[in-house]
């Protein structure tokens, strides 16, 4: 069971949680980028790469018997903050298609570069499968 942490008087966050308390088996998903299972990029588009990275996360979670509903934390590393903000309207549906309406505690930071030169986004996840 997850307890969403929402301090009294705070406006509710949109698309993420301020914090989550839970107990159970922890699952740590290393940073996933927008390439396929053969480590090949099918697109250089930010939204397409994000969708693939999110689907990759779902596949890794599945290996642990978990799903998006078990996510408690996501960290996004993006290479272009302006593109991220400009394309939020496109990003929402892609996120919900892969993750449903599961919104863990999230952090998003712009980085100068990712290790894979074509990657525009890398996302890591922590999930907890309840006892």
């Amino acid at each position: 069971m997850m307890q969403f942490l929402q301090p009294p008087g705070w406006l509710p966050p949109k698309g993420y949680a301020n914090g989550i308390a839970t107990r159970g088996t922890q699952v740590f998903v290393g940073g996933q980028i927008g390439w396929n299972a053969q480590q090949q990029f099918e697109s250089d588009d930010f939204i397409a790469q994000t969708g693939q990275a999110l689907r990759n996360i779902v596949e890794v979670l599945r290996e642990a018997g978990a799903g998006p509903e078990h996510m408690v934390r996501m960290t996004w590393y993006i290479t272009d903050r302006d593109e991220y903000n400009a394309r939020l309207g496109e990003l929402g549906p892609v996120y919900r298609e892969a993750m449903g309406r599961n919104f863990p505690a999230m952090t998003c930071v712009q980085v100068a570069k990712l290790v894979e030169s074509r990657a525009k986004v890398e996302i890591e996840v922590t999930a907890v499968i309840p006892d």
Side-chain angles (χ1 to χ4, degrees):
M1 181 171 139
M2 289 187 211
Q3 175 189 0
F4 289 86
L5 307 175
Q6 180 66 23
W10 284 30
L11 289 175
K14 294 180 180 159
Y16 66 96
N18 286 311
I20 297 173
T22 190
R23 72 176 60 195
T25 302
Q26 298 179 36
V27 180
F28 301 93
V29 179
Q32 297 296 308
I33 60 176
W35 62 16
N36 63 27
Q38 287 71 48
Q39 300 180 350
Q40 298 172 344
F41 289 95
E42 296 175 6
S43 175
D44 288 317
D45 177 69
F46 172 72
I47 299 298
Q49 284 195 15
T50 301
Q52 183 63 59
L54 294 169
R55 290 187 297 276
N56 293 346
I57 290 165
V58 171
E59 290 294 318
V60 174
L61 288 173
R62 186 175 295 133
E63 287 299 305
E69 68 276 14
H70 298 110
M71 295 184 305
V72 296
R73 181 155 184 79
M74 294 182 97
T75 303
W76 294 54
Y77 303 95
I78 57 173
T79 59
D80 188 337
R81 180 193 68 167
D82 294 333
E83 181 174 21
Y84 173 87
N85 285 324
R87 299 189 71 189
L88 281 173
E90 298 169 74
L91 190 56
V94 169
Y95 179 91
R96 287 187 301 277
E97 181 181 321
M99 299 297 175
R101 293 200 166 279
N102 299 292
F103 304 107
M106 289 189 204
T107 300
C108 183
V109 295
Q110 177 178 306
V111 295
K113 293 181 180 181
L114 295 167
V115 171
E116 293 296 327
S117 61
R118 287 180 66 186
K120 295 182 181 249
V121 61
E122 184 165 343
I123 306 169
E124 60 185 18
V125 165
T126 302
V128 177
I129 304 168
D131 291 334

